[in-house]
Amino acid sequence: MKNKTLFLLLGILLVVSMMLAACGGSTAEETTAPEAPVEETGGEKAAAPAEKVKVSVFVGLGTGTDPDQIAAQEALAEKFNAEHTDIEMEFMIVPNDESGERLVAMVSGGNPPGLVGPGGVDVAATYFDLWLDIGPMIEKDNLDLSDFYGAAVEMYNYPEKTVGLPLGVFPSFIFYNKDKFDAAGLAYPTADYGDTSWDVAALRELAMKLTFDENGNDATSPDFDATKIAEWGFNDSWTDLRGFMTRFDPPGAGRPTTPDMKTALINSDEYKYGLDWLNKAIWVDHFIADSAGQQIIDAANDPFGSELVAMFYSHTWFMPEGLVDLPFEYDFAVAPFSQKGTRMARVHADTFYIPKNFANPEASWEVLKWLTSPENIVEVCLIYGCLPARQSVADEYTAQMEARYGEHDYSVIYGAIDYLDNPHHESWMPNVERVGDILQSDVYDLVFTEPVDDTDALLEDANTAVQALFDEYWAENE
Amino acid sequence: MIASLYFSFTKYNIIDPPTWIGLRNYQRMLFEDPLFWHSLQRTLYYAALALPLGLLFGLFLAILLNQKIPGVNLWRTAYFLPSVVAGVAVSLLFVRLFNPRVGLINPFLMSIGIENPPGWMNDPNWSIPTLVIMSLWGVGGGMIIYLAGLQGIPTALYEAAKIDGAGTWHRFRHVTIPMITPVIFYNLVMGLIGSFQYFTEVYVATSGNGGPLRSTLVYNLYLYQNAFKYFEMGYASSLAWFLLLLTLVATLLVFRSSPFWVFYEGEVRK
């Protein structure tokens, strides 16, 4: 009897302590994460009509966490708050490596931030179900979108909803080391979008002549030692299969599906050509580093500045950190034409997204409009390194770039916008993260890890696996 | 835990309320998801290598540091210290050391005549063994427990064995080992659970993707991906509950086997 009472008491104590622990969860979070005061971020407090509506901007999924950016964002918030009596904006800075989990925790706890960003199209895709459809708000305000680059607006449009208003774009092009070209006695790659001789075959030829082993032999030399490569001719760092393949102009552009997203197109002729090109570039022609070489390039942190690659394909977001105090001369070249004689220069884009379960989406919408307005967009883009998505401020921004980076042919950057990938290579598609894993692990990483004998078969297998994921999704959601 | 058990029977993407789907997650896990079996296989492979090696290496070090050598406390501290270094830091260090091109390990191997050293984390066949080698870095924790066990063995037992003519090996085999079987048992159970829960190092070393070519996609990493990458909290919960069950069964089996090989001083066996 005594034992039974003891067990009962212990049992009650356990249940009560579990309940207390569960209720006290947010307190623990607050003590461990003072920089993200969760209690203060939600809309519940803001619901009181007399108070200012607080809109917390969750920053951390992309850029925006460097100390100078934090200071600039605080100044931006002050500016906004001085101009508004009904809304208070504040930036919530979360370290990048924990931002995803933190956002999920806030959302699942029913306490989402008012805005999330700046984030790329991949952020829109990854958390696709989270975002509010801002289409009705655009309609209600009769917002004029004509000043934005048309393709930039398109990036956020899905059949079922519009998830963002363009803030900035990051066109892609080639950064090249002029000193390496001079040393090799080679002509610079073109800055002319009309030069049809500059295609993927010409890129290959040039890149091989700029790839050197430790003995100084280039990759076209019979004495070239592929086990001791010291410098590579070309690299397209920090992308994935969908991004890499855009240069071969595949059907569906950056989204290898039919327009209704029901049929996978991983096995298109363009994908097959592109993967074979990449496979040979790494293992036969050696002008792109294999996975071990990529680790060296990654370890250098700055592939271009460390002089490990002669031609570096990247986006404008590379410029603020990548083009500082370089010990060599550099310039910009245009993306090459594809094997079909067409051109696609993928783009990255950033904006802020509104979580659909935020209590005051109208306030978030006002902040978003303010951030992307012609009056503020240049200032905002200077913080994040993006090119403003409004055509009317192009000259103003070019002047800023010239002041920072000196005299270059900036038409290369603006010209790339005409060739961007639409649909975008980071855009949502059914089971997007699982599909991404298949494309990355089973195809892209594999080609970098070991030579692939039959790249066509590899793509056919991947296509089958991706199609199965599409079928699974549509079976549940149609 | 109760909530996660409930979620395991639901479809739950965090944003929308969970929808009850019964045993669908478990059905998918066991019969439709090849990555579930792949990740389980990777975990068991890791455990099969890391667990015995960790136990043996820890015991070996403890025996070495149980000798009367000058500065023994310093040696013990030196070998224990790595086990308190954070897993993240250790992983970053080893990823760099094992880099086939710029790491320090391959040049050393080449200098001693190994012409084609492994690709380590770049090679799908070597990635798990590389993680196992990394795991030995933290063997100092087990070593300290072994050391305590070794020092608890009464010297009279060794003396009696010596009088009976037992040599070094026989004293080790018939005195040391039986006397520290409770410690081995403890380290085995903790190591087993730790192997099934293996996550931090592989997450850091592979940036959370389980590469190269999913060769290091261990169970917990796959669980994490389902929860925080695919936002399938319901499915991730079912994976978590299966892991709990698996760990429970494995631990239970070890406990059941203990009467056959674990000796407790003063115990009377029937």
Side-chain angles (χ1 to χ4, degrees), chain A residues 132-150 152-158 160-167 351-354 361-362 364-366 368-370 372 390:
Chain A
L132 182 77
D133 179 10
I134 61 166
M137 291 168 158
I138 294 172
E139 224 167 87
K140 188 181 155 201
D141 286 4
N142 201 17
L143 194 70
D144 180 13
L145 301 178
S146 63
D147 188 30
F148 292 109
Y149 294 106
V153 175
E154 281 301 308
M155 267 182 249
Y156 303 104
N157 286 342
Y158 288 90
E160 59 269 54
K161 62 180 175 183
T162 299
V163 294
L165 209 54
L167 168 69
T351 194
F352 293 89
Y353 304 96
I354 304 176
E362 291 80 11
S364 300
W365 171 240
E366 289 304 318
L368 179 61
K369 278 194 297 183
W370 186 86
T372 56
R390 284 185 177 274

Side-chain angles (χ1 to χ4, degrees), chain A residues 236 239-247 254 271 346 421 425:
Chain A
D236 186 358
T239 190
D240 58 10
L241 186 73
R242 285 171 69 183
F244 192 90
M245 286 299 164
T246 52
R247 66 172 47 84
Y271 257 66
R346 67 169 191 262
D421 50 328
H425 64 281

Side-chain angles (χ1 to χ4, degrees), chain B:
Chain B
M1 279 182 74
I2 293 167
S4 82
L5 182 63
Y6 166 68
F7 290 147
S8 77
F9 297 106
T10 66
K11 186 176 174 63
Y12 180 37
N13 69 356
I14 298 173
I15 297 154
D16 302 312
T19 318
W20 182 266
I21 53 169
L23 291 170
R24 181 74 189 90
N25 284 331
Y26 291 94
Q27 183 191 353
R28 173 183 163 192
M29 182 172 72
L30 295 170
F31 305 111
E32 296 164 22
D33 185 358
L35 285 181
F36 160 75
W37 292 107
H38 173 80
S39 63
L40 194 59
Q41 186 267 336
R42 291 282 95 187
T43 305
L44 293 175
Y45 177 36
Y46 171 80
L49 290 178
L51 192 54
L53 275 176
L55 288 173
L56 288 174
F57 196 52
L59 180 59
F60 174 70
L61 281 179
I63 290 166
L64 281 183
L65 296 174
N66 197 35
Q67 311 302 312
K68 286 174 184 159
I69 48 171
V72 69
N73 286 336
L74 200 69
W75 288 109
R76 285 173 185 168
T77 310
Y79 278 97
F80 175 69
L81 217 52
S83 68
V84 295
V85 177
V88 174
V90 173
S91 305
L92 290 172
L93 172 76
F94 272 93
V95 164
R96 183 79 181 171
L97 285 174
F98 279 114
N99 184 293
R101 286 187 195 256
V102 292
L104 294 176
I105 290 171
N106 276 6
F108 168 73
L109 292 176
M110 286 161 95
S111 73
I112 59 169
I114 299 172
E115 283 188 6
N116 291 308
W120 304 114
M121 286 302 289
N122 276 63
D123 184 340
N125 298 316
W126 271 95
S127 52
I128 287 282
T130 306
L131 291 171
V132 170
I133 296 169
M134 280 167 61
S135 75
L136 295 180
W137 180 256
V139 84
M143 177 202 77
I144 285 290
I145 299 169
Y146 279 127
L147 204 54
L150 287 171
Q151 292 186 346
I153 302 173
T155 48
L157 292 177
Y158 287 112
E159 283 160 9
K162 215 169 183 178
I163 291 165
D164 288 344
T168 309
W169 167 247
H170 282 97
R171 287 202 298 276
F172 175 72
R173 170 73 185 80
H174 297 291
V175 177
T176 307
I177 292 288
M179 291 302 288
I180 61 162
T181 48
V183 179
I184 297 174
F185 174 68
Y186 172 79
N187 277 342
L188 175 64
V189 171
M190 298 311 288
L192 189 70
I193 295 169
S195 298
F196 283 149
Q197 291 180 336
Y198 187 60
F199 175 75
T200 307
E201 289 80 359
V202 70
Y203 177 82
V204 174
T206 69
S207 304
N209 64 29
L213 314 182
R214 293 203 187 95
S215 60
T216 59
L217 185 67
V218 293
Y219 195 92
N220 260 359
L221 189 56
Y222 185 52
L223 193 159
Y224 168 84
Q225 287 186 345
N226 272 283
F228 294 102
K229 192 173 176 188
Y230 310 144
F231 301 112
E232 297 198 29
M233 268 308 166
Y235 188 54
S237 298
S238 66
L239 287 169
W241 274 92
F242 183 86
L243 180 66
L244 177 71
L245 208 68
L246 190 72
T247 311
L248 205 67
V249 169
T251 312
L252 206 67
L253 285 175
V254 175
F255 267 89
R256 283 285 165 89
S257 74
S258 68
F260 300 102
W261 62 276
V262 180
F263 171 74
Y264 293 101
E265 206 176 350
E267 178 190 36
V268 179
R269 294 203 168 169
K270 291 173 186 172

Side-chain angles (χ1 to χ4, degrees), chain A residues 2 25 54 69 89 143 145 189 221 224 228 243 246 264-265 294 339 370 425 438:
Chain A
K2 215 174 183 180
K54 185 174 277 186
Q69 289 178 313
M89 173 170 66
L143 194 70
L145 301 178
S221 162
F224 179 75
K228 291 178 180 168
T246 52
L265 299 175
Q294 293 293 339
Q339 75 289 355
W370 186 86
H425 64 281
I438 289 173

